[in-house]
Amino acid sequence: MTDPLRIGILGCADIARRRMLPAIAREPGAELVAVASRDPERAARTAAEYGCRPVHGYAALLGLPEVDAVYVPLPAALHAPWTRRALGAGKHVLSEKPLATNASETRELLAAARGAGRVLMENVMFVHHPQHAVVRELVAQGAIGVLQSFTATFTVPRRPVGDIRHRADLGGGALLDMGIYPVRAAQLIVGTPLSVAGAVLHRARSGEVDVAGAALLYTAGGVTVQLDFGMDHAYRSGYELCGSEGRIRVGRAFAPAADEHPVLEVERAGGPGRVTLEPHDQVAATVRSFVDACRGDAVADDRSCLHQAALLDEIRRAAGGS
């Protein structure tokens, strides 16, 4: 029997406590061995829920020989420095998205992981849900004719005052936090390469980061791609494909519940139709994919991660950012 992958957690962020720690604890191929926090009491409370070791400070956890891999749920600007340190300590890394705040640093981290012989995986969970493979198959079968356009949106309600997403020094802003979803969906469904025709990013009057944005992209084959994102909006999460003979709509594309039956709305000349799929836990699937990659049974998707980072950079430049 293969020994479980022993995982430590660098930080007690909400996504770690709410989604990732329960998924890691349930994964048969993994063992949650330690949780670190800058606050020793918070580390103790979180670790006690899972019967694992509390650690005061992230560096201390990286020094533990019983930790094979780490999950990094820190603010976006801290992903790269702590991922770099974890790789240097010989650990595999599952980092929250984005892996880094720019493509240059993303490329450097992926190269460092390859050089160290370690797995580095970015935690974009929705790509592990099979509903998107079904969409690609429908398009390939000609269900909507020739694909002409793709639109995707991910918006969430206003974040509270003091939320890290409002802090530029921590890598906040709608592009990196919400925009990454429609960008990655376009890569996944339409394919690459994608070019940026134009983009806008909006800031709140008193804010230091973008709170909303939109981008227009295109392929060499003539498919247009429209993306929008924001964090001062009603909740929206979905994408739509329009072809020469029909269209496909996917609601709750990025965060369907584990027990939810996803429904694909497929409209053709003959009338509307629905494709109802079986439930799938994309959080559990993400953890399983990471474990498999660390065991050598799967390969982390470095290429998509780097293409995504490059597109985010292009969108920022097109919108007049640095």
Side-chain angles (χ1 to χ4, degrees):
M1 182 177 177
T2 304
D3 291 334
L5 181 72
R6 300 171 299 177
I7 300 178
I9 312 298
L10 295 188
C12 301
D14 177 68
I15 190 170
R17 291 180 286 105
R18 184 168 47 87
R19 305 189 76 179
M20 294 301 291
L21 268 74
I24 292 170
R26 291 193 301 266
E27 167 55 42
E31 179 185 357
L32 185 57
V33 297
V35 175
S37 174
R38 293 174 300 174
D39 179 346
E41 293 185 1
R42 194 175 194 195
R45 288 195 304 271
T46 305
E49 294 181 38
Y50 298 94
C52 64
R53 177 177 177 176
V55 179
H56 181 203
Y58 310 140
L61 186 144
L62 295 181
L64 297 179
E66 63 267 31
V67 173
D68 304 315
V70 296
Y71 165 57
V72 182
L74 302 172
L78 300 181
H79 294 170
W82 283 105
T83 292
R84 192 177 294 109
R85 291 185 66 169
L87 292 171
K91 314 300 185 185
H92 302 291
V93 181
L94 173 61
S95 170
E96 264 311 317
K97 48 81 186 161
L99 180 56
T101 56
N102 60 74
S104 177
E105 202 161 33
T106 300
R107 185 180 297 106
E108 179 259 314
L109 290 171
L110 293 170
R114 288 193 296 271
R118 300 290 90 183
V119 169
L120 174 55
M121 182 172 147
E122 184 182 45
N123 192 30
V124 182
M125 291 186 281
F126 81 88
V127 302
H128 299 281
H129 198 293
Q131 67 175 330
H132 311 295
V134 175
V135 171
R136 293 199 304 270
E137 184 177 355
L138 286 169
V139 174
Q141 292 173 348
I144 58 172
V146 177
L147 180 61
Q148 304 287 7
S149 66
F150 175 87
T151 61
T153 183
F154 187 60
T155 61
V156 300
R158 180 177 300 177
R159 316 313 298 167
V161 174
D163 190 282
I164 60 171
R165 295 168 184 82
H166 292 299
R167 291 182 52 178
D169 62 321
L170 294 179
L175 176 61
L176 291 182
D177 202 278
M178 291 86 200
I180 199 169
Y181 290 93
V183 166
R184 189 58 167 266
Q187 290 179 257
L188 184 65
I189 303 301
V190 179
T192 55
L194 291 166
S195 300
V196 178
V200 292
L201 292 174
H202 299 293
R203 290 189 180 186
R205 288 184 179 179
S206 58
E208 59 183 48
V209 300
D210 54 288
V211 296
L216 177 65
L217 292 75
Y218 62 94
T219 71
V223 180
T224 57
V225 173
Q226 300 176 64
L227 313 175
D228 75 285
F229 45 90
M231 56 182 187
D232 192 13
H233 303 62
Y235 181 79
R236 293 181 298 159
S237 167
Y239 61 77
E240 179 176 323
L241 301 88
C242 184
S244 58
E245 300 174 18
R247 62 181 179 173
I248 300 172
R249 288 198 300 265
V250 182
R252 292 187 60 81
F254 304 125
D259 60 353
E260 180 179 342
H261 287 267
V263 176
L264 311 180
E265 302 285 349
V266 183
E267 295 185 11
R268 303 181 179 89
R274 294 162 63 92
V275 178
T276 302
L277 306 175
E278 290 301 313
H280 187 80
D281 187 341
Q282 66 184 33
V283 184
T286 301
V287 174
R288 193 170 309 118
S289 179
F290 178 62
V291 171
D292 288 345
C294 293
R295 287 174 170 171
D297 298 330
V299 178
D301 191 0
D302 289 5
R303 183 174 299 179
S304 292
C305 178
L306 187 53
H307 284 170
Q308 170 190 279
L311 279 174
L312 291 170
D313 277 4
E314 283 189 52
I315 290 170
R316 188 184 294 112
R317 286 194 295 268
S322 57

